[in-house]
Amino acid sequence: MAYANRDTGNVLGAAETAGMTEYLDHPAINPKQSKHWALDIAVAFPTLHINLSPGGFWSHRFWPISVNRTRWEAEFHVPKPLTGREKLQQELYITRIAEILLEDVTNTERTQRGIEAGAYDTMQLQDGEVQIRHNLHHVDRWVNARTVREALGI
């Protein structure tokens, strides 16, 4: 039996490449036109991240509970599938992202245990972790500010 070569879209998307042209051509998507682009992330400081990719998006919310505990919520948003193939493609999309998120959560939990062990009082971030450094800078500014005006930097 011969099988047609079918496009399954981008690794972090839930749409076929042919259906992504309009999305990818929008000037707000991948504004630097990186050939390594997979998705865009929008952050509403301090607790919401929205990850945009073709065919859907997912969001994370982070709710601090104590000095060493955070409630993490993730939601996936995809359009209602019109075919069984679209439904399977969306399920694959969610499964791929869920695996990535679970890997991140596991690493975060390990990092927290390492911090609590007391061997180090700081954590080094790679050059590529600029978004984390930027976010931590603003968290620190808000935590240490005496007023909202100071926290906003005005």
Side-chain angles (χ1 to χ4, degrees):
M1 174 183 273
Y3 292 95
N5 183 12
R6 293 297 301 221
D7 177 20
T8 59
N10 116 357
V11 172
L12 299 179
E16 292 184 21
T17 301
M20 296 189 313
T21 303
E22 185 177 353
Y23 178 88
L24 295 173
D25 285 346
H26 192 283
I29 302 301
N30 188 16
K32 295 187 186 250
Q33 297 301 302
S34 170
K35 65 181 180 177
H36 303 294
W37 177 90
L39 58 98
D40 285 324
I41 301 172
V43 177
F45 178 81
T47 61
L48 176 63
H49 293 189
I50 300 171
N51 301 264
L52 308 158
S53 65
F57 69 95
W58 70 97
S59 61
H60 312 262
R61 287 186 198 89
F62 304 92
W63 304 104
I65 296 170
S66 69
V67 69
N68 62 352
R69 292 189 65 217
T70 299
R71 178 186 170 112
W72 170 64
E73 300 171 346
E75 294 180 343
F76 293 89
H77 309 272
V78 294
K80 184 175 180 168
L82 301 177
T83 66
R85 184 179 191 287
E86 286 179 0
K87 177 68 174 166
L88 287 172
Q89 189 169 23
Q90 289 174 353
E91 292 296 326
L92 179 59
Y93 162 73
I94 292 169
T95 301
R96 287 187 289 215
I97 301 304
E99 286 295 319
I100 293 167
L101 296 176
L102 290 173
E103 178 184 328
D104 290 348
V105 168
T106 299
N107 288 333
T108 301
E109 290 171 343
R110 288 181 186 146
T111 300
Q112 183 63 41
R113 284 194 303 272
I115 291 169
E116 289 175 354
Y120 294 96
D121 60 1
T122 60
M123 183 174 95
Q124 296 296 321
L125 294 172
Q126 301 175 21
D127 290 343
E129 301 291 5
V130 67
Q131 289 178 321
I132 294 173
R133 287 197 310 265
H134 179 77
N135 191 59
L136 291 174
H137 164 77
H138 288 285
V139 168
D140 188 59
R141 192 170 79 192
W142 274 86
V143 167
N144 293 307
R146 293 180 308 251
T147 66
V148 171
R149 180 178 295 277
E150 185 180 333
L152 289 171
I154 53 176

